[in-house]
Amino acid sequence: MAQTKSKAKLILYIVCFSAFFASLSQNIYSPIIPIIKESFHVSVTLVNLSVSVFMIVTAIMQIILGAIIDFKGARYVLLAGILATAAASFGCAVTTDFTLFLIFRIVQAAGSAALPLIAATTIGQLFTGSDRGNAMGTYQMLLSAAPAIAPVLGGFLGGAFGHEGIFWMLTAISVILLATNSIFFPKDSHSAPKQDAKSGSLLTHYKSIFTNRAGNVILTLSFFLFFIYFAVIVYLPILLTEHYHMDVQIAGLLYLPLALSTIAGTFLFKNIQAKLPLSTLFVYSNAIAAVSIILFAFTHSVSIILMALTLALFGVSMGVIPPLYSTMITNEFEHNRGSAIGIFNFVRYTGMAAGPMISAYLLTRMPSVMSFGLLGIAFAILSFCLLLYMHQAKHDIKQEKHPM
């Protein structure tokens, strides 16, 4: 029994580190955007395209991989994903052509997209009850740590060894993970057989999600919030290197206020979500996010210290809002949670993908103060209007249940 628990814990740490590596691959890239721009002699728009494409592919693969895991098994998908990631990272390290670099980033995204999904699935299979909760806590902690570590690591490695150094490191880690998972990941880890879903029931599930007012509010705000979040993080290295004339290594450190405050926000949510109504948290967290975005617009080009403080405030809201929205989605859809969470994740990734491209277009058309200021004001107005919309929906439901 003890040996079984010990083996389960070993597998837990392996899959959690694999998921951490997937997040690392995504977040380590932002600080080296100026290096990529100079190395390949391309515009910021094209470099931002490589960020957006990565997120688009990751979003799409979340939907595709679930069915493949059920059909082929998690081990098959996991090893194929890591192998693709290793090959693509190697390609990114050696190529001198930006088109090929972009293709390798697409393959890297498709491969690494499997890792967090399989980690969560494996945890659900290996653990039950409170042990599952503890395992999920370990999983979430590593995922939260990656955005804090990756930009700093990317800044130092990129400054010392160029973008090639980062992708050589990712290649090496991929090879280690491939060997480790090949040895220790269970061969009988595929999901239990399920009945074939009928097209009619699937359509009914998705229809109920898209016609639910509260669900629509959360999906809309999550898209817009993650749009703004990625617009900020891809603009930050350009701002620090071109406006403040900082080295890439030092610029990576400026991600720490945002990353660490995001982790702090996650702990804050865990401590207060049982004490305050989710609707109250919804109002205050959205308000803090809107205010911090507007403050960033007016401070980012004036003072690094003021900018760091506003990024820390924004980070707190980004630590609270994703688990808050996830909880609200889960509570709203009791009978089709899987479909709802899948759509929620897809919408978030789509927002991440759209942010760098559209923000790059805005920044070429208007000053950065105006661009981010308008985004913050738009998010505030949208939050207020959608909050009224959601309250009206609840009022209508009450009227239907208790007519006069």
Side-chain angles (χ1 to χ4, degrees):
M1 186 68 176
Q3 185 177 3
T4 302
K5 285 188 176 181
S6 176
K7 185 176 181 181
K9 285 186 177 181
L10 175 62
I11 296 171
L12 166 66
Y13 293 132
I14 291 172
V15 297
C16 284
F17 186 78
S18 299
F20 169 84
F21 170 72
S23 183
L24 184 76
S25 300
Q26 172 187 324
N27 289 282
I28 202 171
Y29 189 72
S30 297
I32 63 168
I33 285 177
I35 296 177
I36 297 292
K37 176 177 175 288
E38 293 177 5
S39 297
F40 291 99
H41 306 289
V42 294
S43 65
V44 173
T45 301
L46 283 177
V47 179
N48 284 356
L49 175 64
S50 67
V51 178
S52 295
V53 166
F54 192 98
M55 298 313 305
I56 290 171
V57 173
T58 301
I60 294 173
M61 293 305 293
Q62 297 301 305
I63 299 173
I64 296 173
L65 288 173
I68 298 177
I69 289 171
D70 290 337
F71 184 72
K72 288 287 188 179
R75 179 182 171 88
Y76 172 87
V77 177
L78 176 65
L79 297 182
I82 298 175
L83 182 61
T85 303
S89 299
F90 175 81
C92 288
V94 300
T95 187
T96 57
D97 180 80
F98 185 76
T99 301
L100 286 176
F101 178 83
L102 191 59
I103 292 172
F104 286 129
R105 280 289 286 174
I106 291 172
V107 176
Q108 187 184 46
S112 62
L115 306 186
L117 180 61
I118 290 174
T121 303
T122 304
I123 288 170
Q125 293 168 353
L126 293 177
F127 299 94
T128 58
S130 60
D131 289 337
R132 180 182 293 174
N134 290 333
M136 283 294 185
T138 302
Y139 169 67
Q140 291 296 334
M141 278 298 300
L142 280 171
L143 286 185
S144 298
I149 297 172
V152 179
L153 182 62
F156 279 109
L157 285 177
F161 305 104
H163 74 277
E164 298 92 343
I166 288 177
F167 288 104
W168 280 123
M169 183 200 70
L170 294 178
T171 303
I173 296 176
S174 299
V175 171
I176 294 171
L177 285 177
L178 182 62
T180 305
N181 281 284
S182 297
I183 297 171
F184 294 106
F185 194 85
K187 296 181 179 180
D188 56 348
S189 60
H190 57 276
S191 302
K194 298 180 181 179
Q195 294 181 352
D196 292 336
K198 296 180 180 179
S199 59
S201 63
L202 286 175
L203 289 175
T204 301
H205 276 192
Y206 285 115
K207 182 180 179 181
S208 67
I209 295 169
F210 286 113
T211 56
N212 182 285
R213 289 192 183 183
N216 284 334
V217 168
I218 296 168
L219 292 175
T220 303
L221 287 177
S222 64
F223 171 86
F224 201 63
L225 181 67
F226 280 92
F227 172 96
I228 295 173
Y229 176 70
F230 261 68
V232 170
I233 66 172
V234 299
Y235 176 69
L236 194 56
I238 302 296
L239 171 72
L240 295 173
T241 55
E242 295 187 0
H243 181 74
Y244 288 105
H245 307 291
M246 299 176 65
D247 292 332
V248 174
Q249 296 98 318
I250 304 300
L253 293 173
L254 266 296
Y255 282 85
L256 278 177
L258 179 60
L260 295 177
S261 60
T262 300
I263 297 174
T266 303
F267 279 107
L268 177 65
F269 173 78
K270 290 174 62 177
N271 291 328
I272 66 175
Q273 56 89 19
K275 302 174 183 177
L276 292 175
L278 294 182
S279 58
T280 302
L281 283 176
F282 182 83
V283 172
Y284 284 115
S285 60
N286 286 339
I288 292 172
V291 169
S292 62
I293 295 163
I294 295 171
L295 288 175
F296 173 78
F298 288 101
T299 60
H300 72 273
S301 60
V302 176
S303 166
I304 290 180
I305 295 176
L306 290 177
M307 180 185 68
L309 292 174
T310 58
L311 285 176
L313 183 63
F314 185 44
V316 171
S317 67
M318 288 302 300
V320 172
I321 291 177
L324 171 63
Y325 284 6
S326 298
T327 303
M328 294 176 71
I329 281 282
T330 302
N331 294 342
E332 193 68 29
F333 299 98
E334 292 287 345
H335 303 294
N336 50 354
R337 289 177 179 173
S339 300
I341 291 295
I343 292 174
F344 174 65
N345 287 335
F346 177 80
V347 167
R348 287 197 300 170
Y349 281 122
T350 305
M352 295 177 191
M357 289 303 300
I358 298 178
S359 64
Y361 175 81
L362 291 176
L363 290 168
T364 59
R365 298 297 188 277
M366 62 181 72
S368 58
V369 174
M370 185 179 297
S371 297
F372 288 106
L374 289 176
L375 288 175
I377 293 171
F379 182 76
I381 295 173
L382 186 64
S383 299
F384 179 74
C385 292
L386 291 177
L387 180 64
L388 294 179
Y389 176 76
M390 189 162 60
H391 280 315
Q392 182 61 43
K394 291 181 179 180
H395 176 74
D396 292 344
I397 292 173
K398 288 183 180 179
Q399 288 291 99
E400 292 175 3
K401 291 182 178 180
H402 306 285
M404 296 295 292

